[in-house]
Amino acid sequence: MSPPIELVVVADDITGSLDTGVQFTRLETGVVVTVWPSFPSGDIPGIVVVDTESRHLSSDEARHRVEDVVHSACERGARLLYKKVDSTLRGNVGAELEGMLAASGRERLAFAPAYPRMGRTTIEGCQLVNGTPIDRTSFAVDLLNPLWTSSIPEIIAAQSRVAVAVRRPSQQAAEVDARIVVLDARSDEELRAAARELLPQRDHWVFAGSAGFADALCREMFQAPGFAGVTAADGHAARSGAGTGRRKALVVVGSMSPASLAQVNYAIESGVPAFPAPDLDSELPEDRAHRGRGDLLRSTGRAFALGDVIILRTTAAPRTGADNGDGLYRAMRFAERFGRLAREIAVQERPDAVVIFGGDTFIAMMRAFAIDALAPVEEILPGVPASLTVTSGAEWRPRMFVSKAGGFGPPDVLVRILEHLGIEPGRNRGPR
């Protein structure tokens, strides 16, 4: 019989899966990230992260996928259950929390979406980004997941019938009369305090929130009763091999968020050549589409001959039309085409690392390469994990992926990632 799993994390997209999974690389148990419906069997690591790819699904289908994963986790004796939720509350938040709680058999769920070191805080049950309520930020007009309120209980109640209440830092969670308890948090220390309080009661609780709360739980697991077998690894060791003089990196930017656009522009000004993808949302005749891809492959090949890195970027969001169902179809088709195009360039150039901005782009590229499992190994910067490919096969695949969700980070984040990989952007003499 296989040994029980220490922890199962359920996330709704790939970037969230990895930036949460990487928090637990401090432990000696090992971490693997898989994509639904895959759930590892046999001799597997002590920590499993499952990406249900449910952010853009209907609330019923999202709930079903979460329940499916949690049932598998409970069958394997998972000691701790964690539902990773986007820190800007995009996706099927209420439905997935309800599904997690129902399938787990636990009594209550502690929900802490704050991620203070990334500027996300929770105050009196409202979610803020850099001090501004999320419904007053660019996240409110997200193409596929618009937000109408910053009230976390209201967002949960829109998809769930489970009672929700807010616990202030001065309260004990057990004092709150609700099955889903929202935890206020203005700082990392408040997240640590919540983890310290609740971990000894883990048989009664499911945990949920951002990568920040996952980090707090990981740090407290060393001291919590019942975790004597959990030992620390050598910190976030650079086991990916990053920083050892890599020669090539392909940067794939599918996000059109203001943060990503600023990061791309900063990198271009620092000397990184960028190539726009052709119009992926149009229905070009096959001969013209093929000719456009050929021109791009030749151009990127010449750029790599002169330097170590290029950026492949989108220049426009997919046209969504009036109907949201049609909009979702177009957006997913857009991401799929972009992922296939990025794969063609990667296969031609065989970079040591692929850096990807945006979860939809990342999962499209994983599917193009038939990759269903990754191992996060280090956090290069906050929210920027490096992961190694676990899936094997006869065809060439990138060894390492570096991922970042589109909507956060300072303008120089891409340049800092490249420097960590051993690449000096200014030395790249390719066309701009």
Side-chain angles (χ1 to χ4, degrees):
M1 181 177 177
S2 300
I5 301 171
E6 193 71 42
L7 167 68
V8 171
V9 178
V10 186
D12 69 349
D13 81 333
I14 191 64
T15 53
S17 299
L18 293 168
D19 72 19
T20 301
V22 77
Q23 306 306 321
F24 295 98
T25 57
R26 294 185 182 89
L27 309 180
E28 289 284 8
T29 54
V31 182
V32 65
V33 173
T34 67
V35 181
W36 190 89
S38 173
F39 195 95
S41 60
D43 187 14
I44 62 176
I47 297 174
V48 175
V49 186
V50 181
D51 167 23
T52 56
E53 278 303 301
S54 52
R55 180 169 298 180
H56 305 318
L57 298 179
S58 69
S59 58
D60 287 343
E61 179 60 20
R63 183 186 295 107
H64 167 75
R65 288 196 179 187
V66 169
E67 290 173 346
D68 178 71
V69 173
V70 175
H71 283 309
S72 295
C74 291
E75 287 175 358
R76 292 297 304 271
R79 303 174 67 197
L80 202 66
L81 298 169
Y82 191 84
K83 177 71 189 77
K84 198 282 181 180
V85 172
D86 178 65
S87 63
T88 60
L89 304 177
R90 292 172 294 172
N92 294 292
V93 176
E96 295 197 6
L97 293 182
E98 183 178 66
M100 189 88 177
L101 187 56
S104 71
R106 308 287 168 89
E107 299 161 18
R108 310 180 78 187
L109 183 148
F111 184 38
Y115 199 174
R117 63 176 172 160
M118 302 303 295
R120 277 72 160 160
T121 54
T122 306
I123 300 175
E124 297 183 357
C126 290
Q127 194 74 348
L128 289 78
V129 176
N130 298 321
T132 301
I134 54 173
D135 59 336
R136 301 178 192 170
T137 69
S138 61
F139 295 103
V141 291
D142 183 83
L143 185 65
L144 299 176
N145 300 109
L147 292 166
W148 75 100
T149 179
S150 62
S151 167
I152 298 169
E154 288 181 15
I155 290 171
I156 294 173
Q159 294 182 341
S160 168
R161 296 181 181 178
V162 180
V164 184
V166 179
R167 187 211 75 165
R168 273 64 178 185
S170 60
Q171 293 178 290
Q172 293 291 305
E175 299 172 352
V176 181
D177 186 19
R179 293 196 69 200
I180 296 180
V181 180
V182 178
L183 307 179
D184 272 3
R186 297 170 174 81
S187 66
D188 291 335
E189 181 48 46
E190 287 185 351
L191 289 177
R192 290 281 300 272
R196 198 175 304 126
E197 172 195 347
L198 292 169
L199 269 175
Q201 308 169 42
R202 65 187 177 278
D203 291 341
H204 304 284
W205 290 85
V206 176
F207 299 93
S210 68
F213 191 34
D215 175 52
L217 288 167
C218 178
R219 292 174 184 274
E220 292 300 321
M221 284 171 75
F222 303 131
Q223 289 83 30
F227 285 98
V230 174
T231 57
D234 297 327
H236 276 306
R239 286 164 290 173
S240 64
T244 57
R246 295 189 175 277
R247 294 188 300 276
K248 277 188 179 182
L250 171 64
V251 180
V252 183
V253 180
S255 170
M256 287 293 291
S257 73
S260 290
L261 293 176
Q263 291 152 7
V264 168
N265 289 336
Y266 188 98
I268 292 172
E269 292 171 1
S270 301
V272 181
F275 295 84
D279 186 358
L280 300 171
D281 204 31
S282 67
E283 298 295 344
L284 289 175
E286 183 60 29
D287 60 335
R288 287 182 57 196
H290 181 75
R291 188 163 60 247
R293 291 196 302 273
D295 291 343
L296 179 63
L297 288 168
R298 284 188 289 273
S299 296
T300 55
R302 287 193 294 269
F304 267 126
L306 295 169
D308 301 330
V309 58
I310 69 161
I311 298 171
L312 176 68
R313 62 184 300 192
T314 55
T315 56
R319 293 180 287 276
T320 60
D323 177 72
N324 187 56
D326 179 62
L328 176 59
Y329 168 75
R330 285 178 176 269
M332 295 299 98
R333 184 180 64 177
F334 186 92
E336 180 186 0
R337 289 176 172 177
F338 191 51
R340 289 202 306 261
L341 180 63
R343 178 189 179 280
E344 285 188 68
I345 296 172
V347 169
Q348 173 181 277
E349 301 300 331
R350 302 203 171 192
D352 300 286
V354 177
V355 181
I356 303 181
F357 286 12
D360 293 336
T361 300
F362 195 168
I363 199 68
M365 198 167 181
M366 285 181 64
R367 286 170 175 157
F369 274 108
I371 295 170
D372 61 8
L374 294 166
V377 289
E378 67 165 330
E379 192 171 44
I380 293 175
L381 296 166
V384 183
S387 305
L388 301 183
T389 302
V390 175
T391 306
S392 60
E395 294 184 359
W396 178 86
R397 293 178 173 91
R399 175 177 177 268
M400 179 168 60
F401 288 96
V402 178
S403 55
K404 185 188 79 69
F408 76 87
D412 67 344
V413 68
L414 177 52
V415 169
R416 292 168 65 187
I417 291 169
L418 295 174
E419 290 174 346
H420 183 87
L421 297 176
I423 295 170
E424 297 181 31
R427 294 181 60 187
N428 194 308
R429 301 181 300 279
R432 296 192 48 188

